[in-house]
Amino acid sequence: MNKIVLSSFTLATIFVTLQMMGCVEALNIGFAKDVRITMFNNISQAVAIHCKEKNYDDGLHNVNPGETYSFTIAVLTIVPRSLWYCSFSWGNGGLKTFDIYLQKRDGKCGMGKTACVWSIREGGPCRVGGQCYPWKN
C-alpha cells in the first residue's frame, strides 16, 4: 500500500515539475488548463506584439488595425504562478509592456463565460467587458 501511495506522489511530483519547466502540455485532469488569450488591435496603426514567459518566447507578430492575434497557453491550476508578458510597439508610440496573463489576476480567464480578450489601446490594454490597465513603463 505504501509503495502505491509513494508511486502516485512521485508521478504527481514529476508531472508538476515538468509542467513548470514547460515540457508537458496541459492535460484536462484538474491540474492544468489551456487558456486562449486574444488581443484586438484598437489602435489606428499596425502594432508589433511580442509575448513571452520565463521558458518560452512566442515571437514577434504584426497585427493590423482592427485585427486580432491569439495564442493558447497552458497553466497549472494548483500552483497559480503563470505570467505572460508582452511588448507592444507602433509608429511613434514607443515600446510599451504589459503582463497580458497574470494568473493571480486572470485565473478565472477561459473558465465559463470569462474570456481572455484584450483591446489594445494607446492608453493601455482593456479587458473586453472589464477593466482597463495602464502600460507598465
Side-chain angles (χ1 to χ4, degrees):
M1 180 72 170
N2 287 342
K3 289 181 181 181
I4 294 172
V5 171
L6 181 59
S7 295
S8 298
F9 177 76
T10 303
L11 288 173
T13 302
I14 290 169
F15 173 79
V16 170
T17 303
L18 289 173
Q19 180 66 33
M20 287 179 179
M21 294 170 52
C23 299
V24 174
E25 291 296 318
L27 300 174
N28 292 324
I29 59 173
F31 293 118
K33 68 176 182 172
D34 286 340
V35 175
R36 186 142 185 93
I37 297 170
T38 301
M39 292 170 272
F40 176 75
N41 179 1
N42 214 351
I43 297 174
S44 61
Q45 304 175 53
V47 175
I49 301 175
H50 186 192
C51 298
K52 55 180 142 178
E53 58 109 28
K54 184 174 141 183
N55 297 313
Y56 184 76
D57 185 333
D58 191 49
L60 182 66
H61 303 273
N62 290 308
V63 183
N64 291 317
E67 293 184 354
T68 61
Y69 169 66
S70 298
F71 64 100
T72 302
I73 61 173
V75 297
L76 287 174
T77 56
I78 57 174
V79 183
R81 55 178 268 180
S82 293
L83 167 65
W84 276 80
Y85 52 96
C86 300
S87 63
F88 303 83
S89 62
W90 64 92
N92 58 0
L95 182 68
K96 311 288 187 187
T97 61
F98 182 71
D99 295 337
I100 204 71
Y101 185 84
L102 181 60
Q103 193 167 0
K104 289 184 180 184
R105 178 192 69 208
D106 304 315
K108 301 273 185 211
C109 237
M111 299 177 73
K113 295 181 181 179
T114 307
C116 291
V117 180
W118 294 91
S119 174
I120 305 304
R121 303 171 185 222
E122 288 189 33
C126 297
R127 175 80 59 83
V128 172
Q131 186 174 351
C132 292
Y133 297 88
W135 297 113
K136 283 186 75 172
N137 51 342

